[in-house]
Amino acid sequence: LKTTEHEFRRNNGRMGSYFSVILKDTSGEIRGVFFDPECKQFNNSIKYKQVYKISGGVLQDNRNKKTDHEFEIMFNKTTRFEKMPEQSSIGLYPTFKFTKLAQLQNMQITSNTYVDILGYIISNSEVKQVQASPNSKSYACRTLTICDDSGKKCELELWEGMATDFPPDADVVVAFKSLEVIDKKGRSLKSPDQYYYDPDIPEKGKLLQWIETANLNKIDSITHQRTVDKGFILSLSQIQPLFEFRFLKV
């Protein structure tokens, strides 16, 4: 797996960029991250589905839990990627741990809650330009509505290059890896590390069988329901309309 390049704001206010990969061999998977200047050095040279012999980098704790490995790799100026012959024993897809959309309703959400979702696209919006504030840079955004065989549907946002590159079609199954779960207007999803369009995996057939008999117009949405965490009490004067603000995540 290889993500697109993302921008972020450093503590000193300057902008930086990064991309990440999930490396796979016959023993398992580990995530690696490239920040400036390694992001610029490796982004165009590292290819998805290519086998490499890798050296250099620093291990750090796996805080985002996007793989089951104890660590992640922070690549640096000592990193080297050497292209190797293809190995058929290494599978094409990353390891998926699919979560059903219905499970998101009662899930405990933190700032780093990520899930894998296998969804059927009900609708696919045009790409729009969105600004965090009136004088800020605009970012491309595409909004999908997806459903699955748990009988729920949900909104999913794609940003930047992934928004523009995503096919404009609906009525297709897509596997999303490491979507961020957002507690906004109920539950919504955004910014997967990668997606796999019409994937060749066993779970797709089961979902398509369900789609054949489902009434997609009557599926309940988990996005347009305002949720309040248990134990959190509001006075009547604190209840306000829900306003949406979009910020570039650091």
Side-chain angles (χ1 to χ4, degrees):
L1 179 153
K2 178 184 176 184
T3 71
T4 55
E5 183 175 331
H6 300 285
E7 291 184 332
F8 69 99
R9 190 176 299 278
R10 300 180 185 275
N11 292 334
N12 60 11
R14 295 181 179 179
M15 298 302 294
S17 58
Y18 76 95
F19 76 94
S20 66
V21 294
I22 290 182
L23 305 171
K24 182 175 184 178
D25 65 11
T26 55
S27 68
E29 299 173 346
I30 190 170
R31 182 173 181 259
V33 185
F34 300 80
F35 288 96
D36 288 330
E38 287 72 38
C39 176
K40 302 298 183 185
Q41 178 183 352
F42 287 101
N43 192 23
N44 292 328
S45 60
I46 294 177
K47 305 299 182 183
Y48 171 58
K49 297 190 290 186
Q50 178 62 52
V51 179
Y52 296 95
K53 179 181 178 182
I54 304 168
S55 62
V58 178
L59 289 179
Q60 61 182 15
D61 289 338
N62 181 5
R63 292 175 295 177
N64 290 325
K65 305 300 181 184
K66 293 189 175 183
T67 71
D68 289 335
H69 204 287
E70 181 181 359
F71 299 106
E72 295 183 340
I73 304 173
M74 181 78 70
F75 293 113
N76 55 29
K77 62 182 180 180
T78 69
T79 298
R80 299 291 183 270
F81 273 66
E82 179 184 349
K83 189 175 179 179
M84 301 295 287
E86 182 178 348
Q87 296 188 26
S88 59
S89 59
I90 301 177
L92 175 63
Y93 298 110
T95 300
F96 291 111
K97 292 187 175 180
F98 290 122
T99 298
K100 298 296 184 182
L101 294 178
Q103 296 176 267
L104 302 182
Q105 290 180 290
N106 299 315
M107 181 178 289
Q108 295 295 317
I109 306 299
T110 69
S111 59
N112 292 301
T113 301
Y114 300 97
V115 293
D116 301 339
I117 297 288
L118 184 69
Y120 181 83
I121 299 179
I122 298 175
S123 65
N124 187 340
S125 77
E126 295 181 354
V127 176
K128 299 179 180 179
Q129 296 296 318
V130 179
Q131 291 178 293
S133 61
N135 297 319
S136 66
K137 178 181 175 181
S138 62
Y139 295 90
C141 178
R142 180 190 297 272
T143 302
L144 309 175
T145 300
I146 64 171
C147 69
D148 69 9
D149 55 5
S150 67
K152 300 295 182 181
K153 63 183 178 181
C154 180
E155 286 187 3
L156 188 162
E157 293 177 349
L158 303 176
W159 289 88
E160 302 178 73
M162 191 170 288
T164 55
D165 293 342
F166 193 87
D169 307 315
D171 303 316
V172 65
V173 174
V174 182
F176 296 93
K177 182 67 179 175
S178 298
L179 281 158
E180 185 175 359
V181 183
I182 305 299
D183 188 10
K184 182 185 72 173
K185 300 187 301 180
R187 294 287 189 260
S188 59
L189 300 162
K190 74 171 187 177
S191 304
D193 276 356
Q194 192 52 271
Y195 65 86
Y196 299 87
Y197 197 81
D198 193 22
D200 184 16
I201 56 176
E203 295 91 342
K204 182 182 73 172
K206 180 181 178 183
L207 177 54
L208 288 175
Q209 287 181 348
W210 179 82
I211 291 294
E212 288 179 0
T213 59
N215 187 340
L216 300 184
N217 294 322
K218 293 186 177 180
I219 295 178
D220 291 333
S221 174
I222 65 171
T223 298
H224 297 290
Q225 302 169 13
R226 186 74 187 275
T227 60
V228 178
D229 291 338
K230 294 180 179 180
F232 185 74
I233 301 175
L234 292 175
S235 65
L236 294 179
S237 63
Q238 291 176 300
I239 298 176
Q240 299 291 334
L242 176 62
F243 291 91
E244 295 181 47
F245 297 90
R246 304 187 191 277
F247 295 95
L248 182 64
K249 185 178 180 182
V250 177

